[in-house]
Amino acid sequence: MTGIDRLDVMDLAARRGGRPVFHGVSFTLEQGGALRLAGRNGGGKTTLLRILAGLGRADRGVVRWNGEPIGDDREAHAARLGWLGHADALKPALSARENLQAALRIADRPVAGLDDALDALGLGSLADLPASWLSSGQRRRVALARVLAGAAPLWLLDEPTVGLDAVSVVALERSIASHRADGGMVVAATHTALDLGSDTVSLDPAKHAGAIPEPTA
Amino acid sequence: MNGFLALIARDLRLARRQGADVAMTLAFFVVVVALFPLGLGPTPALLARIAGGVLWVTALLAAMLSFDRLFQQDADDGGLDLLALSGMPLVLVALAKAVAHWLTTGLPTVLLAPLLALTLDLPAAAYPALVTGLLLGTPTVSLLGTVGAALVVGARRAGVLVALIVLPLTIPVLIFGVAAVEAGGAGLPIQPHLTLLAALLAAAIPLAPLAAGAALRQAVE
Amino acid sequence: MHRFANPTRFLRLANALLPWLTAAAVLLLASGLWLGLLRSPADYQQGETVRIMYVHVPAAWMAMAGYTTLALSSLAFLVWKHPLADLSARAASPIGAGFTAIALVTGALWGQPMWGTWWVWDARLTSVLVLLFLYLGHMALTNAFDDPERGGRAGAVLALVGVVNLPIIKFSVDWWNTLHQPASVLRLGGSTIDPAMMKPLFLMAGGYLAVFGIALILRIRALYAERRLRQLRLSLTDA
């Protein structure tokens, strides 16, 4: 990473199913920063995360990475993301290790960090079991390991702690801290007390709800 | 290129692990072809006359069975989002899926068809036309099916819907494929029919993934 | 869809057009039927049954016009994302399908005395049948989603894929038909159309076009009302 990476979000407005979800959302995240998306279900946390990933379209406003709108080059933006959605995106017929290998290769990323990522989340012994044998908490950890192994600068996590026990939550917090220390950014939607580290900004999209106002002039 | 091949490899591995899916499609092919002599009577002359059509139509129907699953599994487990974030344009994702589908469904059909043609008394002269025609036509069907599969992600009754949408689009392939078989059986030149099949394939390779990619983007957003 | 907060200019225009279209439809259809069924000459080959042509041929033309409307609306929806284009596509589909069905049924009614059978797999009938399938597929797809926006966009892509495929299907069916039916060649009531037959034909075509326009406007209005109702009900839950 040359210079300091910035994620700028300006005056973002979004709809879901034709209904306005939020408007006027703005924030800036710099290298090493973290943003917590808090608030009730249905408040727009997932919608906002998907827009940040380029998976969803904003009604208004723009998301910029180092000054460039992310919509200009979706593929380049995808390459800098570590995405964890609601679902784990694991294939039951493949083992944890095979799932990660496939995901990394499909995304054309180096497979080198795979074992370290699995160990960081305590999955070393489970790595070669079929994903269908794993509990939901274990599957969530495999999905998190995928994010770790991807070694991308911007992590977008949607409810990462679902199904995780206390030990695993601590492991996750440690991974996030390590990622931030290396200069990475984290945006996490969570209604738990997950500690994202110091200097974490908080944002509740539901506080920006209501009809999207017409643009002035 | 690496991501493209990796996606094909993953889907092939999944198909091998969940082998029952592929086997079921081929079993369907065999069962339905067997229904025709049972329904129409085992007269060799009649069977030989309809063999080309029966094999082609059944191959199409068997392909339809597998399309609704093509993207639905990824959509259900969240994998579609990951594919959209893989750095590959969705057009390439669609093309990779089509290739994997053909390797797991189309190619076995091509290999199985001549064996089934034996049971239908297809004239010997028609075999090259049958195999070459299927070889050229089944990839086109896989490509068209990818478009249908991408369109029905998240739809109700996706299985029937994808067949309803894709079958009319495959009519040209069916027509030329059967025409080739009949020409072959009658000793007439099969070249023009095969050339048309090749032309359809050549048109489908760039266009179908484009449409499927657009449909996938809508499924993701 | 804040653009629906006020009725669009188009709907206001459409409402103004409606009485004129109705008058035109009545006039054109009445004069077309009068001339066609009662005053135009009988065909030297087919006798009186050729008169079905005046109902059948314009229906087939409208089947094509319907798909053109569907395709253009779909393109507009995908490119400019205007909600009216989505409504127009959804409206055009069943109307086009209806005209296609009319063309097929009247074609069968016409064919019975001519060919001695209700159905013949000639190139034209088969192509029109496939057109009906494309319409039905579009209608099924747009209505198969819980999210209407998703249905509209999927349907739009399908409509455009159909447009690309339509000439290919037409060509392949022609090919297939010439391979399998070299003998019978169908003519539209004789080698050339008598000018006395042209006039009622075009009058009927004009009348059908007016009916198409009326049906389209009525259906768009109904779809718009449905959308608006859904929006209002949902916005009540915000309070």
Side-chain angles (χ1 to χ4, degrees), chain C residues 32-166:
Chain C
L33 284 170
W34 163 255
L35 280 178
L37 295 182
L38 297 171
R39 299 279 298 187
S40 77
D43 179 64
Y44 76 97
Q45 277 181 331
Q46 302 174 37
E48 299 296 327
T49 56
V50 75
R51 301 190 192 282
I52 301 181
M53 164 178 77
Y54 300 114
V55 179
H56 165 79
V57 171
W61 290 349
M62 286 305 109
M64 303 295 180
Y67 206 86
T68 312
T69 310
L70 172 59
L72 290 175
S73 306
S74 298
L75 187 63
F77 184 53
L78 288 176
V79 171
W80 291 292
K81 302 186 175 28
H82 197 294
L84 194 62
D86 178 27
L87 294 184
S88 173
R90 286 168 180 269
S93 206
I95 299 172
F99 277 111
T100 313
I102 291 176
L104 287 171
V105 169
T106 53
L109 288 172
W110 190 10
Q112 224 291 329
M114 270 216 323
W115 311 312
T117 162
W118 290 106
W119 183 263
V120 154
W121 288 98
D122 92 311
R124 209 169 323 174
L125 268 81
T126 312
S127 302
V128 174
L129 186 63
V130 175
L131 184 62
L132 183 63
F133 296 155
L134 293 179
Y135 274 124
L136 293 179
H138 178 264
M139 285 158 60
L141 185 63
T142 43
N143 293 308
F145 293 91
D146 292 326
D147 178 11
E149 170 109 20
R150 172 104 176 80
R153 285 182 301 172
V157 173
L158 178 64
L160 292 177
V161 170
V163 164
V164 170
N165 226 293
L166 213 46

Side-chain angles (χ1 to χ4, degrees), chain B residues 19-38:
Chain B
D21 295 347
V22 176
M24 274 198 301
T25 310
L26 295 178
F28 175 85
F29 191 30
V30 174
V31 167
V32 175
V33 169
L35 287 178
F36 282 89
L38 292 172

Side-chain angles (χ1 to χ4, degrees), chain B residues 46-105:
Chain B
L46 172 63
L47 292 180
R49 177 79 188 81
I50 65 172
V54 165
L55 288 167
W56 266 96
V57 170
T58 315
L60 279 181
L61 293 177
M64 293 301 126
L65 287 184
S66 48
F67 285 135
D68 62 328
R69 269 191 346 259
L70 200 61
F71 293 111
Q72 199 56 51
Q73 205 199 14
D74 285 306
D76 286 341
D77 63 28
L80 196 57
D81 287 339
L82 277 190
L83 287 177
L85 291 175
S86 63
M88 260 191 288
L90 285 172
V91 174
L92 282 183
V93 171
L95 186 58
K97 281 285 194 180
V99 171
H101 177 269
W102 183 75
L103 287 173
T104 55
T105 308

Side-chain angles (χ1 to χ4, degrees), chain B:
Chain B
M1 192 52 166
N2 291 329
F4 180 79
L5 294 174
L7 179 54
I8 298 176
R10 183 200 76 172
D11 270 19
L12 290 180
R13 184 182 253 179
L14 280 173
R16 199 173 61 228
R17 296 265 175 100
Q18 295 167 325
D21 295 347
V22 176
M24 274 198 301
T25 310
L26 295 178
F28 175 85
F29 191 30
V30 174
V31 167
V32 175
V33 169
L35 287 178
F36 282 89
L38 292 172
L40 298 169
T43 335
L46 172 63
L47 292 180
R49 177 79 188 81
I50 65 172
V54 165
L55 288 167
W56 266 96
V57 170
T58 315
L60 279 181
L61 293 177
M64 293 301 126
L65 287 184
S66 48
F67 285 135
D68 62 328
R69 269 191 346 259
L70 200 61
F71 293 111
Q72 199 56 51
Q73 205 199 14
D74 285 306
D76 286 341
D77 63 28
L80 196 57
D81 287 339
L82 277 190
L83 287 177
L85 291 175
S86 63
M88 260 191 288
L90 285 172
V91 174
L92 282 183
V93 171
L95 186 58
K97 281 285 194 180
V99 171
H101 177 269
W102 183 75
L103 287 173
T104 55
T105 308
L107 188 54
T109 306
V110 175
L111 299 173
L112 198 52
L115 299 175
L116 291 175
L118 287 173
T119 69
L120 294 175
D121 256 314
L122 187 70
Y127 277 80
L130 176 68
V131 175
T132 321
L134 282 173
L135 207 53
L136 288 170
T138 44
T140 312
V141 172
S142 288
L143 284 163
L144 288 171
T146 322
V147 177
L151 284 171
V152 304
V153 171
R156 301 186 292 269
R157 303 299 309 274
V160 180
L161 192 55
V162 78
L164 181 61
I165 294 172
V166 177
L167 282 173
L169 300 176
T170 56
I171 285 175
V173 178
L174 173 65
I175 288 177
F176 296 130
V178 176
V181 173
E182 294 190 347
L188 296 167
I190 60 176
Q191 205 71 349
H193 309 283
L194 295 179
T195 313
L196 283 166
L197 280 176
L200 287 176
L201 179 59
I205 289 178
L207 294 177
L210 261 170
L216 281 178
R217 173 122 315 261
Q218 288 164 2
V220 161
E221 276 178 12

